[in-house]
């Protein structure tokens, strides 16, 4: 400690070096270049054991081995996916096609000719595209800076996702419908979770789909990365929880006064794997690869998959996937699961569900190899000393059983077939309860303790005792078994009683979830001010504080509210709900102490019957490019609508004109504030940039200059507005996060950055003061 303190004192005594922003930028670029050169230049893309192993298994068709290895040594091309559930997905696609993709043509970067981006021919509606650009080239090339800024901004707004092509396959094969209850067992970092959320909201006219997504991850830090990803889609139907997927607790819900087990219609089981299918982007796997990784993960993968099918509803679909090519992690796991199911599960034939996708059928014969290169053909050949490392389930079953299992229905994606990563997918259908779930329970679940008068809500996880090895002893595992609520005194506003035995928590301590009571005094002024429809689900509003003023109000769907109320004693909930209202004390004098939040505007807007102002495209441009525009700058129709409105939060709505197909054809809903003589919008910076792009306004600003571009001048942007929209000032760690394609480092995300009650850095979190010059 003494030496450390002396070093710190010496460091503090050093004179601060004053550098200009230009010098700091040069130092940053030099560090990046040094990191790339030192980080990957020394890695040789060869692994003799890898080649020997897969050549022996014959997973690659005859005559294609050299193509396979050549593809493995090439950088993975960048792929992007357009968020499909928003009504303006077509506008984004049009913007990409007509502007950014055209600008990428006929460009040469580092001696490489840039090919025109092409749609993935198997992904629906041209919503996924790939190019020959690698992630490194996009991030480092000045010629692509504008495209890079576009990707960063639109990714943060939730309109585009940088995601590997093969990673998009499992959610598509789940065939999600808006009424489905979905469990994502190993969800972080969240790219597939975002796809599931999009599918739930396929119809944006329905603010609360009947279905929901529960996204789980065992790593507490990665859970916050998952929250960061999921929150971009602004859905009230998502819950992020922190559990070991192999023992994720069985949940209960109340249905018509009866408490019953929650079974999921769809489960995504994208398990931890050795990742040798990601060699093209995770280059360090070349030197680390060994068969030992697969042998060690096999047991965990079976436990997770088993826990998944236990919680799957009859007739439901579970997708098992890995980014590994090793049959020990792929077909061996599926074969083991099918054998123990005794006919309760079957492999679905999905060969026609993704036309255009090239894939190889699952294999039915393989051998097991140790890290030393020793091969075993069957379990009986394995010496006793190896029994802890090699298990019977790693070997193929007899030929008759393997044929009955239809393992050829599994999908193996090889990198050289469509210039992708390596991947494995299997789709399982549950036809009947699992054999060990058919026995009746021996005893009822413990009755929950009475809830005290003061609503105390906790998200402490219970001491997990459920096990897949003895499922018959777990009452909640009994399928189709409903139990009546044991305690009628449980309040609707409380997420359940505290746990009987508290388990030591790791990671960030979460705030409680407290639902608003029906007689809460803060709601009537809100209802009156915004003229909320009688159908507004007040019972779904919640806050994250037990004492003091409620600063933020969040909303969840009715189904998630049901889950929260009956399972807080067993779930560690990291995040749920979408922010719809923010406290603004200055607004209290005008009739309501809460203003609308842009984050949840599309959820709450359908219920609001007052303070809705219809604006034109020109009005939207003024709102998004000027901080506090006077009323006189807006159209006469807008001035007329706002003339008699009292000061406070308003909704600014643009409706497209179908008679003018050349104009913007997607609706826009913005949060605003009516001041004494002005109107302002409360919209995050990246979302402002998105809407401006959709209206044809150029928002790119070169980092090297402080002068306005000619296009910005035409758009009427002043210097301050240009600086507000400049994404070049983004922190490098944030840029790295947004520019990634799914394998993001959770160390880059601080849990406090995505904690639900923390104020965001964007404009949406600012508080208006109700005057002529509303401030942040």
């Amino acid at each position: 400690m003494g030496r450390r303190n002396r070093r710190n004192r010496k460091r503090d005594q050093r004179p601060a070096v004053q550098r200009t922003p230009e010098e700091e930028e040069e130092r940053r670029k030099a560090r990046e270049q040094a990191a790339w050169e030192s980080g990957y230049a020394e890695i040789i893309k060869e692994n003799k054991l890898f080649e020997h192993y897969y050549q022996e298994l014959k997973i690659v068709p005859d005559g294609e081995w050299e193509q396979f290895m050549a593809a493995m040594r090439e950088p993975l091309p960048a792929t992007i996916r357009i968020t499909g559930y928003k009504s303006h997905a077509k506008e984004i696609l049009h913007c990409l096609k007509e502007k950014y993709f055209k600008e990428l043509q006929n460009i040469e970067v580092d001696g490489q000719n840039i090919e025109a981006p092409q749609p993935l021919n198997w992904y629906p509606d041209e919503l996924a595209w790939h190019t020959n650009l690698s992630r490194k080239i996009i991030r480092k090339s000045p010629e692509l800076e504008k495209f890079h800024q576009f990707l960063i901004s639109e990714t943060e707004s939730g309109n585009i996702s940088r995601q590997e092509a093969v990673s998009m396959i499992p959610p598509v094969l789940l065939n999600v419908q808006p009424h489905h209850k979905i469990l994502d067992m190993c969800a972080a970092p969240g790219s597939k979770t975002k796809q599931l959320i999009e599918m739930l909201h396929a119809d944006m006219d329905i603010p609360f789909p009947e279905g929901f997504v529960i996204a789980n991850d065992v790593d507490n830090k990665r859970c916050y990365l998952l929250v960061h990803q999921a929150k971009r889609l602004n859905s009230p139907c998502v819950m992020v929880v922190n559990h070991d997927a192999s023992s994720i607790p069985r949940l209960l819900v109340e249905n018509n006064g009866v408490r019953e087990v929650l079974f999921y219609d769809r489960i995504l089981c994208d398990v931890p794997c050795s990742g040798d299918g990601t060699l093209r982007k995770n280059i360090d796997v070349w030197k680390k690869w060994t068969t030992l990784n697969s042998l060690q993960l096999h047991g965990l993968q079976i436990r997770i998959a088993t826990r998944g099918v236990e919680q799957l509803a009859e007739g439901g679909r579970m997708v098992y996937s890995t980014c590994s090519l090793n049959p020990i992690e792929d077909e061996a796991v599926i074969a083991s699961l099918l054998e123990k199911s005794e006919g309760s599960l079957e492999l679905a034939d999905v060969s026609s569900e993704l036309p255009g996708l090239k894939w190889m059928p699952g294999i039915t014969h393989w051998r097991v190899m140790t890290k030393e290169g020793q091969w075993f053909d069957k379990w009986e050949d394995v010496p006793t000393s190896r029994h802890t490392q090699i298990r019977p389930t790693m070997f193929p079953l007899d030929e008759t059983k393997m044929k009955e299992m239809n393992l050829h229905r599994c999908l193996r994606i090889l990198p050289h077939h469509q210039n992708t990563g390596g991947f494995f997918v299997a789709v399982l259908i549950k036809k009947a309860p699992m054999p060990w779930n058919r026995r009746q329970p021996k005893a009822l679940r413990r009755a929950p303790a009475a809830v005290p008068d003061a609503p105390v809500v906790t998200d402490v996880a219970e001491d997990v005792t459920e096990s897949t090895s003895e499922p018959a002893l777990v009452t909640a595992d009994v399928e189709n078994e409903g139990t009546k609520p044991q305690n009628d005194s449980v309040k609707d506003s409380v997420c359940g009683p505290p746990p009987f035995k508290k388990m030591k928590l790791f990671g960030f301590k979460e705030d409680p979830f407290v639902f608003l009571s029906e007689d809460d005094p803060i709601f009537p002024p809100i209802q009156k001010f915004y003229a909320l429809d009688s159908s507004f689900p007040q019972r779904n509003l919640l806050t994250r504080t037990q004492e003091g003023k409620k600063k933020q109000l969040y909303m969840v769907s009715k189904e998630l509210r049901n889950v929260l109320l009956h399972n807080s004693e067993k779930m560690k909930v990291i995040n749920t709900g979408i922010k719809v209202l923010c406290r603004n004390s200055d607004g209290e004098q005008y009739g309501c102490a809460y203003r609308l939040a842009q984050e949840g505007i599309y959820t709450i807007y359908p219920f609001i019957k007052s303070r809705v102002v219809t604006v034109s495209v020109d009005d939207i441009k003024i709102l998004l490019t000027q901080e506090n525009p006077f009323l006189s700058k807006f159209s006469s129709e807008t001035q007329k609508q706002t003339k008699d409105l009292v000061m406070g939060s308003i909704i600014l709505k643009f409706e497209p004109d179908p008679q003018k197909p050349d104009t913007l054809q997607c609706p826009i809903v913005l949060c605003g504030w009516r001041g004494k003589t002005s109107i302002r919008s409360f919209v995050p910076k990246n979302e402002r940039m998105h809407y401006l792009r959709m209206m044809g306004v150029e928002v790119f600003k070169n980092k090297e200059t402080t002068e306005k571009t000619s296009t910005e001048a035409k758009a009427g942007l002043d210097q301050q507005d240009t600086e507000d929209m400049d994404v070049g000032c983004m922190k490098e760690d944030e840029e790295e996060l947004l520019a990634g394609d799914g394998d993001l480092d959770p160390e880059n995300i601080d849990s406090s950055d995505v904690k639900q009650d923390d104020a965001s850095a964007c404009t949406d979190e600012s508080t208006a003061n109700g005057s002529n010059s509303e401030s942040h």
Side-chain angles (χ1 to χ4, degrees):
M1 288 298 293
R3 282 183 294 179
R4 181 182 302 173
N5 290 335
R6 284 196 296 271
R7 285 197 302 267
N8 291 338
R9 283 197 297 271
K10 289 180 180 179
R11 181 191 61 198
D12 296 338
Q13 291 170 1
R14 296 171 187 166
V17 179
Q18 299 295 328
R19 298 188 181 91
T20 65
E22 291 77 10
E23 291 173 335
E24 289 291 351
E25 180 68 11
E26 288 299 324
R27 285 173 58 84
R28 184 185 67 81
K29 290 182 178 179
R31 287 196 303 270
E32 288 179 353
Q33 185 64 28
W36 277 100
E37 291 176 354
S38 63
Y40 294 121
E42 298 178 0
I43 295 180
I44 300 174
K45 297 180 181 180
E46 287 186 7
N47 188 305
K48 296 300 181 183
L49 190 63
F50 172 88
E51 295 190 41
H52 173 64
Y53 182 68
Y54 284 119
Q55 280 183 308
E56 284 290 323
L57 293 183
K58 300 185 184 302
I59 66 165
V60 179
D62 293 339
E64 297 183 16
W65 180 258
E66 295 302 325
Q67 295 173 280
F68 169 76
M69 289 304 299
M72 279 292 200
R73 294 187 175 101
E74 289 294 323
L76 190 68
T79 49
I80 61 174
R81 182 175 54 80
I82 300 171
T83 299
Y85 81 95
K86 291 187 177 180
S87 58
H88 51 251
K90 291 183 179 179
E91 296 291 331
I92 301 173
L93 180 59
H94 177 77
C95 182
L96 274 171
K97 282 183 174 181
E98 299 303 319
K99 180 175 175 55
Y100 293 96
F101 287 168
K102 283 187 176 180
E103 293 178 358
L104 291 180
Q105 298 179 22
N106 303 320
I107 295 180
E108 185 174 308
V109 178
D110 294 339
Q112 177 183 356
N113 291 322
I114 305 303
E115 298 176 1
Q118 299 294 325
L120 295 176
N121 57 4
W122 51 266
Y123 199 88
D125 303 323
E126 286 193 342
L127 293 180
W129 291 69
H130 70 101
T131 174
N132 66 332
L133 295 169
S134 68
R135 186 171 55 177
K136 175 183 176 181
I137 290 177
I138 291 179
R139 293 184 64 244
K140 305 302 177 184
S141 304
E143 300 92 337
L144 303 175
E145 183 179 353
K146 186 183 295 188
F147 182 53
H148 186 214
Q149 288 192 16
F150 168 81
L151 290 179
I152 292 173
S153 177
E154 293 296 330
T155 300
E156 181 63 10
S157 299
N159 301 309
I160 279 181
S161 177
R162 290 282 310 280
Q163 184 177 354
E164 187 177 347
V166 290
S167 174
M168 305 175 192
I169 297 173
V172 177
L173 289 178
L174 271 178
N175 192 21
V176 169
Q177 302 298 319
H179 63 276
H180 283 156
K181 299 171 180 61
I182 308 165
L183 173 64
D184 191 349
M185 301 189 73
C186 308
S191 56
K192 299 181 185 69
T193 308
K194 289 170 64 177
Q195 276 182 273
L196 299 175
I197 299 171
E198 293 170 26
M199 295 171 183
L200 274 185
H201 292 274
D203 186 353
M204 280 298 290
D205 293 330
I206 303 177
F208 293 102
E210 293 182 17
F212 56 77
V213 175
I214 295 181
N216 173 72
D217 203 83
V218 66
D219 190 305
N220 184 263
K221 290 183 178 180
R222 286 171 62 87
C223 280
Y224 291 99
L225 177 59
L226 177 58
V227 171
H228 184 82
Q229 294 275 61
K231 282 173 71 69
R232 293 172 178 164
L233 297 185
N234 300 331
S235 170
C237 307
V238 183
M239 180 186 295
V240 176
V241 297
N242 180 202
H243 290 281
D244 178 356
S246 63
S247 58
I248 190 168
R250 177 80 77 183
L251 303 183
L252 299 176
V253 291
E254 187 174 314
N255 185 15
N256 296 324
V258 176
R259 190 173 295 182
E260 59 187 23
V261 173
L262 170 63
F263 291 100
Y264 300 94
D265 303 297
R266 297 290 186 268
I267 293 180
L268 178 55
C269 186
D270 187 53
V271 296
C273 64
S274 61
D276 56 21
T278 69
L279 283 168
R280 302 183 67 178
K281 64 176 181 179
N282 296 326
I283 307 179
D284 57 339
V285 177
W286 281 101
K287 60 181 180 181
K288 295 180 180 178
W289 188 90
T290 171
T291 55
L292 183 61
N293 297 335
S294 297
L295 299 178
Q296 291 175 335
L297 286 167
H298 173 83
L300 174 64
Q301 291 162 341
I302 288 182
R303 292 195 299 273
I304 293 176
T306 301
R307 191 58 176 162
V309 294
E310 284 177 350
Q311 302 205 27
L312 187 64
E314 290 184 45
R317 176 178 285 207
M318 184 178 91
V319 171
Y320 175 90
S321 62
T322 74
C323 49
S324 170
L325 299 174
N326 199 324
I328 305 300
E329 304 176 64
D330 299 337
E331 286 90 350
V333 174
I334 297 300
S336 173
L337 202 58
L338 290 171
E339 183 187 30
K340 73 165 79 173
S341 76
E342 299 178 3
S344 296
L345 299 173
E346 72 171 0
L347 271 172
D349 183 0
V350 294
S351 57
S352 61
E353 294 188 18
L354 289 177
L357 177 68
K358 295 180 180 179
W359 51 277
M360 297 294 297
I363 61 178
T364 57
H365 178 74
W366 61 88
R367 304 161 68 196
V368 178
M369 186 180 78
T370 65
K371 67 176 182 178
E372 296 83 12
Q374 184 180 4
W375 290 94
F376 297 103
D377 291 312
K378 52 184 183 297
W379 165 249
E380 290 75 18
D381 296 338
V382 180
T384 306
S385 59
R386 296 275 190 178
H387 281 188
T388 57
Q389 181 185 96
I390 300 176
R391 305 300 301 152
T393 52
M394 296 178 183
F395 294 88
L397 302 172
D398 63 71
E399 188 174 343
T400 303
K401 287 185 177 180
M402 296 298 284
K403 187 174 182 180
E404 292 174 351
M405 289 179 178
N406 296 315
L407 287 183
H408 65 277
R409 294 179 177 177
C410 300
L411 310 186
R412 280 181 159 274
I413 316 297
L414 299 181
H416 65 291
H417 284 165
Q418 286 180 303
N419 198 14
T420 64
F423 211 68
F424 174 86
V425 188
V427 181
L428 294 161
I429 303 293
K430 188 172 183 178
K431 301 169 62 179
M434 302 304 289
W436 54 88
N437 289 134
R438 295 170 187 165
R439 287 180 281 179
Q440 295 299 313
K442 295 182 179 180
L444 292 176
R445 176 181 288 272
R446 293 176 296 184
V451 179
D453 292 336
V456 177
V457 187
T458 176
D459 58 2
V460 179
E462 69 172 352
D463 185 15
V464 178
T465 58
E466 296 181 272
S467 169
T468 58
S469 60
E470 295 181 331
L473 301 180
V474 182
T475 305
D477 273 351
V478 179
E479 309 213 9
N480 305 319
E481 183 71 20
T483 58
K484 294 184 178 181
Q486 300 297 311
N487 190 349
D488 296 332
S489 65
V490 176
K491 295 185 177 181
D492 285 343
S493 62
V494 181
C495 297
F500 291 93
K501 181 179 179 181
K502 293 185 178 180
M503 184 173 66
K504 184 177 180 180
L505 297 178
F506 298 93
F508 195 79
K509 179 65 175 71
E510 282 299 315
D511 289 332
F513 296 83
V514 183
F515 284 95
L516 256 62
S517 60
E518 294 186 4
D519 57 351
D520 196 305
I522 72 168
F523 184 70
I526 296 174
Q527 186 177 35
K528 180 180 179 181
F529 190 74
Y530 297 108
L532 292 177
D533 190 85
S534 58
S535 63
F536 180 77
Q538 176 193 348
R539 288 157 50 91
N540 296 2
L541 287 173
L542 62 87
T543 181
R544 299 297 301 275
T545 181
Q546 301 178 37
E547 301 176 356
K549 293 183 178 180
K550 301 174 177 65
K551 294 182 180 181
Q552 321 280 358
L553 294 182
Y554 305 91
M555 182 169 280
V556 296
S557 64
K558 178 182 69 175
E559 289 74 18
L560 273 189
R561 180 182 185 276
N562 192 349
V563 173
L564 271 172
L565 285 174
H566 296 94
N567 298 280
S568 66
E569 78 280 4
K570 61 172 65 175
M571 285 196 310
K572 182 180 179 184
V573 180
I574 299 297
N575 193 282
T576 191
I578 182 173
K579 180 166 55 185
V580 292
L581 292 161
C582 305
R583 185 170 181 83
N584 173 27
S585 300
D586 289 330
E588 195 166 1
Q589 57 184 310
Y590 307 115
C592 183
Y594 288 85
R595 69 169 179 84
L596 300 168
Q598 181 68 26
E599 179 181 324
I601 192 62
Y602 286 96
T603 297
I604 196 173
Y605 162 72
F607 301 99
I608 296 178
K609 305 303 178 185
S610 177
R611 305 187 66 77
V612 179
V613 179
T614 302
V615 294
S616 65
V617 170
D618 291 335
D619 292 333
I620 293 287
K621 289 180 181 179
I622 293 172
L623 286 163
L624 297 180
T625 58
Q626 299 183 30
E627 189 62 28
N628 282 300
F630 287 103
L631 283 170
S632 58
K633 292 188 176 183
F634 295 93
S635 65
S636 57
E637 182 61 29
T638 298
Q639 294 183 48
K640 181 180 178 181
Q641 293 179 72
T642 56
K643 180 179 178 182
D644 298 327
L645 287 179
V646 298
M647 295 172 60
S649 188
I650 60 174
I651 285 179
L652 302 157
K653 180 182 180 182
F654 165 75
E655 286 287 358
D657 185 353
Q659 303 300 324
K660 300 178 180 179
D662 294 335
T663 60
L664 185 67
Q665 289 299 302
C666 64
I668 296 176
V669 181
L670 306 178
C671 290
W673 184 272
R674 166 67 159 97
K676 288 181 179 179
T677 59
S678 66
I679 300 178
R680 72 169 301 173
S681 62
F682 285 92
V683 183
K685 180 177 65 176
N686 286 311
E687 197 164 340
R688 290 188 181 209
M689 298 174 68
H690 162 71
Y691 287 128
L692 287 171
R693 286 192 189 97
M694 296 303 101
M695 292 182 288
V697 178
E698 179 62 74
V699 293
F700 173 78
K701 176 174 178 287
N702 196 310
K703 298 178 185 178
E704 306 298 329
T705 179
T706 58
E707 297 179 0
K708 294 182 294 185
T709 65
S710 59
T711 312
E712 289 167 339
K714 291 178 183 178
L717 307 182
D718 58 30
Q719 181 64 28
Q720 181 60 44
D721 297 325
T722 304
E723 291 174 357
D724 287 342
M725 292 187 292
D726 183 17
V727 295
C729 63
M730 192 173 285
K731 299 191 298 294
E732 181 61 26
D733 60 343
E734 185 180 4
E735 187 171 347
E736 174 68 25
L737 168 71
L738 300 178
D741 59 353
D743 290 328
L744 307 179
D745 186 359
E747 298 295 337
N748 288 337
I749 298 297
D750 190 333
S751 59
S752 61
D753 291 339
V754 291
K755 188 167 176 288
Q756 200 159 11
D757 273 339
D758 288 349
S760 170
C762 69
T763 311
D764 184 41
E765 301 297 333
S766 58
T767 303
N769 63 13
S771 66
N772 186 35
S773 58
E774 297 91 339
S775 61
H776 286 268

